[in-house]
């Protein structure tokens, strides 16, 4: 698999699949620039060589055709500022205007196409649509690791129409860092799994049980473990059909010598909102009418001690409902523990999605080893699955 460092792009028109699926507020302002910043080195390398860049991405989940709130035009000014180049906007990704601009792009110029998912053919992996997109350039680069697990037109199908293709720096770094954690980690290796459902993380948890020394489980999924062990969880999140699985995982951890660490206390409230009065109780003593929304202080201390003694840390998923400031303390303090472990010489990989948002919102993005831009893609790669977007660049 070739990387962009294997090529000089002078005089080339490079069609690059980027991941600019960024959050916008009601005024269509970008509220988290992580993915834009991540793509900048790849784009600058191509422009610096004297190439022209045509960027394509999706944004959100438009239902049927173009929608104003999902237009890529909203990020043009932020992208131009990040690149130091006046980025042109092409509108419809396979429209005449876009083809006209891409055909006439000069050295060091950049074009952003509109949302690929305005066409349902994108997510269906339509070959005809992929071929139309390919007309914009003579070289294909995939730097969108966040969508590499999808066999979409722009992420994998399109590669067949190019003789020259390569990975960008984001894709390279994502694969290298995932391999560093799952291939030959420095021990002790601790994985922290959070989020709502065991069912979303079952494959990665089973894989991790063969790799880690410590597995910390927090977030909504922890209540299913508590219930399975006979605890009272009140109205907390529960996957009743996964209780047997939870018990199986506990037994597997024991058999493999993995230290499986679950919360010992929890912050509970009666309503699912930030202002609901709360209190701390033992994890298995949640009364009816109350629900667990965060890990408690004793759990934070327990988790932090384990993290502090780790040389490799993988974190995927929040410890509670971190969108509510009053129930974000567990997630925030786990983030601080990961930063401390990193500062003490450990390697830390933050696995996309909510964990990445939590780390970045706290201003810790530069204080951990690597923040992944791809949640689902990272998990699937670590589960041992072939990612279509990566496989398409082979050969």
């Amino acid at each position: 698999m070739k990387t962009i460092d294997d090529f000089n792009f002078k005089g080339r028109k490079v069609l690059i699949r980027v991941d600019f699926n960024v959050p916008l507020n009601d005024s269509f302002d970008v509220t988290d620039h992580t993915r834009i910043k991540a793509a900048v080195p790849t784009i600058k390398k191509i422009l610096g060589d004297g190439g022209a860049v045509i960027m394509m991405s999706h944004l959100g989940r438009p239902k049927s055709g173009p929608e104003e709130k999902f237009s890529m035009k909203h990020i043009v000014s932020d992208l131009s500022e990040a690149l130091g180049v006046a980025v042109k906007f092409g509108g419809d990704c396979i429209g005449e205007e876009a083809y006209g601009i891409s055909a006439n792009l000069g050295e060091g110029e950049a074009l952003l196409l509109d949302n690929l998912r305005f066409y349902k053919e994108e997510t269906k992996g339509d070959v005809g649509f992929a071929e139309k997109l390919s007309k914009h350039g003579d070289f294909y680069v995939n730097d969108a690791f966040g969508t590499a697990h999808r066999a979409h037109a722009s992420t994998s199908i399109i590669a067949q129409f190019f003789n020259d293709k390569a990975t960008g720096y984001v894709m390279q770094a994502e694969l290298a860092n995932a391999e560093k954690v799952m291939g030959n980690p420095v021990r002790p290796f601790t994985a922290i799994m959070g989020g709502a459902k065991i069912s979303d993380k079952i494959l990665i948890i089973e894989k991790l049980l063969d790799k880690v020394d410590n597995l910390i489980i927090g977030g909504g999924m922890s209540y299913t473990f508590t219930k399975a062990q006979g605890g009272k969880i009140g109205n907390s999140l529960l996957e009743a059909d996964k209780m047997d699985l939870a018990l199986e995982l506990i037994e597997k951890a024991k058999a493999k010598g993995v230290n499986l660490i679950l919360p010992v206390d929890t912050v509970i409230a009666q309503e699912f909102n930030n202002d609901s009065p709360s209190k701390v109780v033992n994890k298995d003593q949640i009364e009816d009418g109350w629900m667990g929304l965060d890990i408690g202080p004793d759990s934070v201390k327990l988790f932090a001690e384990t993290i502090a003694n780790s040389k490799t840390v993988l974190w995927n998923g929040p410890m509670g409902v971190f969108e509510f400031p009053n129930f974000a303390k567990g997630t925030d303090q786990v983030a601080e523990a990961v930063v401390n472990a990193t500062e003490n010489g450990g390697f830390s990989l933050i696995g996309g999605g909510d964990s990445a948002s939590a780390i970045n919102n706290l201003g810790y993005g530069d204080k951990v080893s690597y923040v992944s831009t791809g949640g689902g893609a990272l998990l699937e790669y670590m589960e041992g699955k072939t990612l279509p977007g990566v496989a398409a660049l082979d050969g």
Side-chain angles (χ1 to χ4, degrees):
M1 196 162 56
K2 291 184 175 171
T3 77
I4 57 172
D5 285 330
D6 295 321
F7 298 90
N8 184 298
F9 291 96
K10 186 169 178 59
R12 304 298 298 266
K13 285 200 173 137
V14 182
L15 180 61
I16 174 169
R17 177 51 158 104
V18 284
D19 182 4
F20 289 160
N21 183 27
V22 296
L24 303 174
N25 63 18
D26 292 340
S27 306
F28 304 121
D29 300 315
V30 179
T31 57
D32 182 347
H33 291 79
T34 306
R35 286 177 170 169
I36 293 174
K37 285 179 188 168
V40 166
T42 295
I43 300 163
K44 280 191 169 177
K45 146 74 177 161
I46 296 164
L47 296 176
D49 280 358
V53 167
I54 301 94
M55 296 166 281
M56 55 180 178
S57 178
H58 75 284
L59 176 62
R61 295 183 177 179
K63 291 190 171 61
S64 54
E67 290 181 58
E68 172 71 13
K69 66 179 176 180
F70 294 127
S71 175
M72 300 304 302
K73 72 182 180 185
H74 302 305
I75 76 163
V76 171
S77 62
D78 293 78
L79 183 56
S80 299
E81 189 178 335
L83 291 172
V85 171
V87 175
K88 303 173 193 291
F89 181 62
D92 183 345
C93 60
I94 53 171
E96 288 307 313
E97 181 187 4
Y99 285 127
I101 299 172
S102 63
N104 292 298
L105 274 186
E107 290 188 6
E109 292 190 322
L111 165 67
L112 178 65
L113 304 175
D114 212 345
N115 196 334
L116 295 165
R117 290 190 187 173
F118 285 165
Y119 286 89
K120 62 181 184 300
E121 289 86 349
E122 161 66 0
T123 52
K124 288 184 175 175
D126 184 85
V127 177
F129 179 65
E131 186 173 17
K132 287 176 185 174
L133 288 172
S134 74
K135 305 292 185 197
H136 285 294
D138 57 33
F139 196 112
Y140 173 67
V141 170
N142 191 349
D143 211 24
F145 181 75
T147 53
H149 57 318
R150 308 286 187 214
H152 291 173
S154 70
T155 60
S156 68
I157 310 303
I158 194 171
Q160 66 192 284
F161 299 106
F162 291 88
N163 290 322
D164 291 330
K165 52 201 173 189
T167 65
Y169 293 135
V170 173
M171 186 79 86
Q172 275 177 256
E174 293 278 2
L175 296 172
N177 282 295
E179 201 50 49
K180 190 168 180 177
V181 165
M182 297 301 278
N184 190 21
V186 181
R187 300 190 179 278
F189 174 18
T190 297
I192 310 157
M193 290 284 126
K197 296 180 175 178
I198 301 175
S199 49
D200 293 339
K201 305 277 169 78
I202 175 58
L203 291 174
I204 184 67
I205 287 173
E206 295 210 314
K207 194 84 173 176
L208 286 168
L209 287 174
D210 288 325
K211 305 274 184 184
V212 301
D213 301 294
N214 308 297
L215 177 60
I216 292 171
I217 292 183
M221 72 165 94
S222 68
Y223 300 105
T224 298
F225 282 85
T226 302
K227 179 78 170 175
Q229 291 175 302
K232 288 166 60 179
I233 64 165
N235 295 21
S236 303
L237 199 59
L238 171 68
E239 285 180 282
D241 62 335
K242 296 291 182 289
M243 289 198 292
D244 287 344
L245 175 62
L247 293 174
E248 273 176 41
L249 291 172
I250 291 168
E251 289 308 311
K252 276 186 185 173
K254 275 183 194 162
K256 292 174 187 286
V258 173
N259 184 22
L260 178 63
I261 306 166
L262 292 159
V264 291
D265 59 350
T266 181
V267 182
I268 62 172
Q270 289 180 299
E271 292 174 26
F272 189 78
N273 67 60
N274 185 54
D275 300 318
S276 183
S278 63
K279 61 183 179 180
V280 177
V281 300
N282 288 343
K283 65 163 186 181
D284 52 3
Q285 298 295 319
I286 305 174
E287 307 154 34
D288 289 343
W290 291 75
M291 66 186 87
L293 297 181
D294 195 9
I295 57 172
D298 288 345
S299 300
V300 168
K301 193 172 174 226
L302 178 66
F303 292 1
E305 283 170 1
T306 302
I307 295 164
N309 293 317
S310 303
K311 287 300 176 192
T312 302
V313 179
L314 167 67
W315 181 21
N316 182 279
M319 297 294 100
V321 188
F322 83 114
E323 309 93 288
F324 298 156
N326 289 334
F327 301 101
K329 292 186 183 71
T331 299
D332 293 352
Q333 288 169 316
V334 163
E336 286 169 20
V338 174
V339 168
N340 291 337
T342 312
E343 288 173 345
N344 288 329
F347 177 83
S348 52
L349 173 58
I350 312 303
D354 290 338
S355 307
S357 298
I359 282 281
N360 289 322
N361 291 344
L362 289 164
Y364 293 156
D366 297 332
K367 295 183 177 180
V368 293
S369 305
Y370 192 74
V371 181
S372 173
T373 57
L378 180 71
L379 289 182
E380 291 202 13
Y381 185 72
M382 288 183 162
E383 287 162 10
K385 293 178 181 172
T386 298
L387 303 186
V390 176
L393 296 171
D394 270 328

